[in-house]
Amino acid sequence: MSTPRAPNVTTGTRPLDPTTEPGAVAETARVRRVFAELPIAVVVAAVVSLLAQFAVRKLHLPTASFLPAALSAFSIAAVAAVILFLAVRAKWPRWATVASWVLPGTVGTLWLSFSLAGSKLYLGGLAWDQTTRVQYLERLTDSASLADLNYAGLPPFYPAGWFWVGGRFANLLGLEGWEAYQPFAIVTIAAAAAAAFVLWSAVVSRRTALLLALATTIVGLRGPVYEPYSWALLALLPPLVFIAWALFKGAVRERADKAEVLVPMAVVGVFLGIAGAVYTLVFGFFLFLLVAFAVAAFLTSRTRRLAPAGVTFRRLIARLVGIGLFALPFVAAAWVPYLAAMVTHQPEGSTALRYLPENGAEFPLPMFQASVSGVICLFGAGWLMFAWRRSVAARVLAGLAALCYAWYALSMLASVRQLTLLPFRIEPLLEVTLWCAGVLAGVELLRWVLPRFGHLFDHVPTPSWTTPSRVTGRNAVAGVLALLCVVSGTQTADKVPLMPGFLYSAFADYDLTGTNAHGHRDPEKDGYYLPKLASTVESMGGKKPVVLTAFNDLLSVRPYYGFQTTISGWANPLADYNARAAEIDAWANAGSSAELAGLLDSSRFRAPDVFVLRKDGDSLTLTLTFDLYPGMENIGYRTVSFPAKLFDGPRFHRENVGPFAVIGRSHPA
């Protein structure tokens, strides 16, 4: 008896597609290929993204013009046309695989590069939460040692993985952290698209994987790329869920081949570890997802009575433990310094989870948006329900979507305990899941329609280099419709909620040059004084002083330590946010300059070397925040006023810079 010929996994001539082959979800051979292909694809995509960014910058496009939008629309449409051509052509040549590493990410690179043309800042500029993210990258660009994003002498509480790599990226290119944030964020988006293609290729045919990677990129451009490291993780979860499900389903068979376990276990475990080193929320959600899928595998095994229950249970536990062991080195590298510090210092409770905006208080329904995205999500949601019984893909993606909603439900229950699970951070995963379901539904529809309505494609115009046929006509119609969806998705991305504000800040905010992207140098703007503030602070306190200020832009563009974060949600629990706020109040209430100097000298924290306060008559002011959860505004603001005379003593030196007073403190001999 002859051995059946294996599928050609390189050329994809026999595509494994879960929409048509429900018995298989992820071939072990294909998962093995991920290990070899993934790092190469990511590096190639990153290099091409950098070259594309460089090319767009060399165009020196005007900021107050529609020219960047026109060039963006044309170039993205051209790249999307190439992608769709590869997806529908009869054969898949070897070079198409390499091209597919690059093409979906190029769509993201072009959109972001043209949208930000003329600005050195990324979406959100130095406003919103981006202020603190840029500060973190500036910190880890200055030094490769793991450190808290704000406080001196503390290990990081927020995982440093993405920012540490970004710091090495900045060092390689000779950039400051704030300058590197934009190009590194765009490279991250391109690399995520390449990784999505490679991971999807372990599950479906190459051409379908290319379409799924393109869909993933478009979803990201509709807002989630604002937080690039979060999006890079969420974008990869849908294909990884298939690999995880195959791993768990393998445990319920009578005989499980150990050789088929190790590689997928490593892939899932490494991703879990990277998530733990990059974004705690995604790490927690993925862990929740893995446990839920393992439980589902166990329950389905009981209905079909495959391996004995005890054997199945032990196998599933062993696979979860194995995933954890692969994840451990990455998680340990990010978290051991913080956990070790907890041994000697009792941390204060973090307020990071005490945040409940409107989009975290209601279930997201992207399938009912009045847009092309809404139609695709509705199409995908419908397919998940109607194809549930016959398609493994539908069941896996439906399970992922259901767990997204379960995370929202758990967060709503947790709000009774005065905290949330920040479920709105998971909403992009729900949307990309539905988009991917829509793509798979479209692929299945194309296969379904030909034998039933093939005559409708008899007279469709086709390219001259192809042989006219119903298949060619069908593919031409599908390609044009898909191209229109891509163009619509990218051309409307700058109009989705919050994106106009992100783009405005990227151009309006001032950087360390004292100008913004429009070339404005307005003395009425605080950012105008950044260069002078930086030089003054460093003349008084050196290169890395501890600074007490509410002007966070200064801490974002220079690697100074802050005595206090402006928003408590970003504070390290080891920093004792409330105790520091109480000390600031005590300093402001000091009776004399000598008393203030004494209080600073005796502080249990490393006291400020430099104060950057705002002038207000005979006072110098500082704005602090406090927690207002569960109010609609989750933080409140209060002003701390220092009498200017407190800094008249011999231990202080003051210099005025625009609306600010910069006060240096000399240390006792």
Side-chain angles (χ1 to χ4, degrees), residues 36 47 260 337 363 379 616 620:
V47 171
E260 295 182 359
F363 291 107
F379 187 43
D616 184 15
L620 303 176

Side-chain angles (χ1 to χ4, degrees), residues 403-417:
L403 289 175
C404 289
Y405 282 113
W407 193 260
Y408 268 83
L410 290 173
S411 179
M412 292 171 181
L413 292 175
S415 63
V416 178
R417 303 290 297 177

